[in-house]
């Protein structure tokens, strides 16, 4: 079997890999388009001359300007932190689909509020609107990976959750390029800077209308006792009849997991919190949160939110040139994300990608920091020419992007969407998403001050954190590719992280052979399988 081959946990009918599951993932990923766009457009919008003039940013001192920009950017992450936890409550009572609709509506309200800002009203509406938009994206960042993960066949779960990441990058690509286009084609005006804020409504509107077609997660429905609708939705998504052995086996595994959680965790809104007393549950929550510490420690969100500042530190001068360089950064991220999505995440696996990306990205950051330390950048001279060393630094910046994107950009979201049991999945994903937005907030809040005080040391700081992430992944994170969601507890219970995946896959193949042998000629149905699985719990 080749290193890039798909690995199935059991014989899988080709009908399972159908357009419905891919389309459901794509529709849900409009949420990540709005997140990606929001993350990307704000940095270059704050640098637009029309925005600077309307809100008198050019009259502020360096410290006041840094604080103002940091507040505009970081209140979004603060809202997203609380939205992540709010989505746990909404998904528990209302389900994944309705919850996503609610948080999308909150985002639309925030985006609309921002459009009322002008010189007379000041920045208050933008800041308030970004808080609401942050609440919306925080809730969406919790819901979408869970929803897609619960719909996905194990062999392509990474690819399907990866569509969420692709949506993020496509939104980011538009966000990075939109202000370059406006700068080049439109005279500075109120309309020039309000357009990027208005574009936020497009992906949110597509999600709102697309969600009408989406099906509720069968796993959530089964956990709430809506068995008939759950089976109907699962058969529709898998494109198989309810009597197919694949459906019977999948439902039996879900039933067994739900029964196991009912016995060992308990049913109810607060029971997953009570489960946090268990060391094994605490451990997975810790791992999920730490993945986002390392992700943000790579420096990605310093670049996303303050790309003009980052490129200025390397030696890129001029508004249009800075916007163009930022736009190319967005193109590189999007192209590499497609490669990650189609060929790497479900073939090479999660942990290998994380370690390889951290090693290569760290080297690039050390080189960029060393160039700025030794040569420096004449950022105060708008007519300065970029030196050969500066061009090399730009090359290594894009090379860093090529290392980071197929590793730490989307892989932590994939792992967190699949590593928790059914009863703790919503809370676990809420914790992980909140961790992402917390560290996102810290980076976005203090990046301007870090560049003012540390200079090239900022790059050394991020390079060091990327190196430290490698032993963390190697010793603590088991490979999760192709493992069914209902068997994650078993995977994490195996001693020896590096061998856990191989042991689990061998165990799954043996269990599948036994199940099919018992089912042969026994007339096994979903209800019979449920009874047998529950008896074995």
């Amino acid at each position: 079997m080749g290193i890039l081959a798909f690995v199935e946990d059991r014989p899988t009918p080709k009908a399972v890999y159908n357009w419905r599951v891919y389309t459901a993932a794509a529709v849900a990923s409009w949420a990540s388009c709005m997140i990606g766009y929001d993350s990307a457009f704000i940095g270059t919008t704050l640098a637009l001359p029309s925005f600077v003039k309307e809100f008198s940013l050019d009259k502020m001192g360096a410290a006041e300007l840094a604080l103002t920009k940091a507040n505009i950017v970081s209140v979004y992450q603060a809202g997203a932190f609380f939205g992540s936890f709010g989505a746990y409550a909404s998904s528990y009572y209302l389900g994944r689909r309705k919850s996503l609709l609610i948080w999308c509506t909150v985002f639309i309200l925030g985006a609309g509020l921002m459009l009322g800002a002008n010189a007379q009203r000041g920045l208050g509406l933008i800041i308030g609107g970004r808080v609401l938009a942050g609440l919306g994206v925080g809730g969406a960042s919790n819901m979408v990976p869970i929803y897609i993960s619960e719909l996905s066949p194990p062999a392509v779960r990474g690819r399907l959750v990866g569509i969420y990441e692709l949506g993020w990058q496509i939104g980011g690509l538009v966000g990075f390029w939109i202000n370059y286009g406006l700068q080049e084609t439109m005279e500075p005006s109120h309309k020039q800077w309000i357009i990027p804020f208005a574009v936020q409504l497009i992906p949110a509107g597509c999600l709102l209308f697309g969600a009408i077609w989406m099906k509720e997660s069968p796993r959530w429905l089964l956990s709430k006792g809506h068995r008939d609708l759950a089976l109907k939705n699962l058969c529709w998504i898998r494109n198989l009849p309810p009597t197919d052995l694949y459906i019977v086996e999948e439902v039996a595994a879900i039933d067994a997991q739900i029964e196991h959680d009912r016995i060992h965790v308990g049913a109810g809104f607060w029971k997953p919190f009570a489960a946090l007393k268990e060391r094994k549950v605490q451990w997975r929550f810790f791992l999920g949160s730490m993945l986002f510490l390392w992700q943000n420690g790579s420096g990605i969100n310093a670049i996303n939110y303050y790309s003009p500042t980052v490129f200025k530190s390397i030696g890129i001068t001029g508004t249009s040139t800075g916007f163009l360089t930022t736009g190319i950064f967005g193109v590189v991220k999007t192209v590499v994300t497609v490669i990650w999505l189609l060929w790497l995440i479900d073939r090479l696996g999660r942990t290998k990608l994380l370690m390889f990306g951290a090693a290569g990205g760290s080297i690039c950051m050390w080189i960029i920091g060393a160039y700025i330390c030794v040569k420096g950048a004449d950022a105060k001279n708008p007519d300065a020419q970029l030196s050969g060393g500066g061009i090399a630094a730009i090359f290594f910046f894009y090379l860093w992007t090529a290392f980071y994107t197929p590793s730490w950009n989307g892989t932590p979201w994939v792992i967190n969407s699949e590593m928790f049991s059914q009863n703790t999945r919503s809370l676990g994903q809420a914790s992980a998403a909140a961790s992402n937005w917390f560290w996102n907030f810290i980076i976005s809040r203090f990046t301007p001050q870090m560049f003012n005080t540390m200079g090239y040391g900022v790059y050394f700081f991020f390079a060091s954190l990327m190196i430290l992430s490698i032993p963390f992944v190697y010793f603590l994170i088991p490979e999760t590719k192709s493992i069914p969601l209902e068997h994650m507890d078993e995977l994490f219970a195996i001693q020896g992280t590096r061998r856990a995946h191989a042991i689990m896959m061998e165990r799954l193949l043996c269990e599948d052979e036994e199940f099919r042998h018992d089912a042969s000629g026994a007339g096994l149905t979903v209800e019979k399988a449920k009874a047998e699985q529950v008896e074995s719990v």
Side-chain angles (χ1 to χ4, degrees), residues 1 5-14 16-17 153-156 246 346 481-484 505 508-509:
M1 183 178 293
F6 276 130
V7 179
E8 293 182 338
D9 63 304
R10 55 197 160 117
T12 304
K14 292 187 180 299
V16 168
Y17 306 118
V156 294
Y246 186 90
D346 278 321
K481 73 170 183 176
S482 301
I483 306 295
M505 290 302 297
L508 285 171
L509 289 174

Side-chain angles (χ1 to χ4, degrees), residues 29-90:
S29 294
W30 277 112
S32 59
C33 277
M34 69 189 193
I35 299 172
Y37 179 81
D38 251 44
S39 300
F41 92 96
I42 192 65
T44 50
T45 300
L46 295 181
L48 274 176
S50 57
F51 187 90
V52 171
K53 181 179 180 181
E54 180 148 355
F55 294 102
S56 302
L57 301 187
D58 51 342
K59 297 178 182 178
M60 298 179 180
E64 183 186 3
L65 179 60
L67 179 62
T68 300
K69 287 185 175 182
N71 287 337
I72 292 172
V73 172
S74 62
V75 293
Y76 173 81
Q77 284 78 29
F81 175 85
F82 292 103
S84 300
F85 284 113
Y88 167 69
S90 63

Side-chain angles (χ1 to χ4, degrees), residues 143-351:
M143 280 299 94
V144 177
I146 291 178
Y147 177 76
I148 297 175
S149 181
E150 291 184 343
L151 297 184
S152 303
V156 294
R157 188 172 58 238
R159 172 184 288 185
L160 288 167
V161 178
I163 294 175
Y164 169 78
E165 180 60 33
L166 179 62
W168 197 310
Q169 296 314 316
I170 291 172
L173 182 64
V174 176
F176 284 131
W177 278 101
I178 190 168
N179 284 313
Y180 175 75
L182 291 170
Q183 171 76 9
E184 292 296 302
T185 61
M186 185 178 290
E187 291 296 321
S189 63
H190 175 82
K191 184 179 179 181
Q192 185 192 47
W193 69 260
I194 207 72
I195 288 174
F197 282 95
V199 170
Q200 296 176 96
L201 295 168
I202 296 175
C206 290
L207 174 61
L208 200 63
F209 287 108
I212 297 172
W213 169 85
M214 289 163 56
K215 303 289 185 182
E216 182 55 80
S217 163
R219 283 175 166 82
W220 182 85
L221 289 168
L222 282 169
S223 71
K224 297 299 180 182
H226 304 301
R227 194 166 187 81
D228 291 341
L229 182 57
L231 188 58
K232 179 182 177 182
N233 284 5
L234 183 62
C235 291
W236 184 85
I237 292 164
R238 296 285 182 262
N239 197 26
L240 294 171
T243 54
D244 190 280
L245 189 58
Y246 186 90
I247 295 290
V248 174
E249 190 173 6
E250 182 168 9
V251 173
I254 297 171
D255 284 333
Q257 179 67 54
I258 291 171
E259 185 65 15
H260 177 276
D261 287 344
R262 186 188 66 79
I263 294 171
H264 295 91
V265 178
F269 180 84
W270 296 107
K271 291 299 182 180
F273 291 93
L276 289 172
K277 296 176 183 178
E278 299 181 29
R279 294 291 295 272
K280 64 180 182 180
V281 177
Q282 293 174 6
W283 180 244
R284 254 181 280 180
F285 274 61
F286 168 75
L287 294 178
S289 297
M290 285 297 294
L291 283 172
F292 285 110
L293 165 63
W294 300 122
Q295 184 202 60
N296 283 275
S298 68
I300 181 58
N301 286 308
I303 298 164
N304 277 343
Y305 297 123
Y306 300 103
S307 50
T309 301
V310 172
F311 286 117
K312 186 177 179 182
S313 73
I314 297 175
I316 298 294
T317 57
T319 302
S320 293
T321 307
F323 287 0
L324 176 62
T325 312
T326 300
I328 296 172
F329 165 65
V331 171
V332 174
K333 284 182 70 181
T334 304
V335 171
V336 178
T337 297
V338 173
I339 297 172
W340 168 79
L341 173 71
L342 295 179
W343 290 287
L344 299 180
I345 186 64
D346 278 321
R347 291 180 166 92
L348 195 58
R350 289 51 156 159
T351 55

Side-chain angles (χ1 to χ4, degrees), residues 331-401:
V331 171
V332 174
K333 284 182 70 181
T334 304
V335 171
V336 178
T337 297
V338 173
I339 297 172
W340 168 79
L341 173 71
L342 295 179
W343 290 287
L344 299 180
I345 186 64
D346 278 321
R347 291 180 166 92
L348 195 58
R350 289 51 156 159
T351 55
K352 290 185 180 71
L353 284 172
L354 291 176
M355 291 185 287
F356 178 75
S362 179
I363 292 170
C364 294
M365 279 288 187
W366 285 111
I367 293 172
I368 295 169
Y371 161 73
I372 298 173
C373 175
V374 174
K375 180 68 176 177
D378 190 7
K380 295 183 179 180
N381 180 9
D383 298 320
Q385 296 294 313
L386 196 62
S387 66
I391 294 172
I394 294 294
F395 167 79
F396 278 104
F397 174 80
Y398 289 133
L399 184 60
W400 172 87
T401 306

